Amino acid sequence: MACSVPIYYLLHREAADGSENLLMEPDLASALVDATADPAWRAVRITFGRQVVLEGNELAAAIAERHAA
């Protein structure tokens, strides 16, 4: 019997005090929007399953491009 498990994008965030937070996102566009939605959190990386989709300079560039559009 096959089992279907939904896979979401995960937005990994970090606060100034070092605490970490994860947000489940339905798609990459939503993850990029939420990456800057709350100024108390800094986006660290976006993953899909075990794969890192964006992090570091690539994440910063994608966020900037999203806000420019």
Side-chain angles (χ1 to χ4, degrees):
M1 176 176 193
C3 179
S4 177
V5 177
I7 298 176
Y8 294 93
Y9 285 88
L10 287 176
L11 170 59
H12 302 248
R13 306 185 306 172
E14 187 175 89
D17 67 0
S19 59
E20 298 177 356
N21 180 272
L22 295 174
L23 291 179
M24 290 184 0
E25 302 286 355
D27 52 47
L28 184 56
S30 298
L32 290 171
V33 169
D34 286 346
T36 58
D38 187 346
W41 294 95
R42 180 182 66 86
V44 176
R45 79 184 61 79
I46 297 174
T47 58
F48 186 77
R50 293 182 178 174
Q51 178 184 359
V52 174
V53 178
L54 292 170
E55 77 179 328
N57 291 337
E58 292 175 344
L59 176 58
I63 291 169
E65 182 179 315
R66 178 74 180 167
H67 282 284

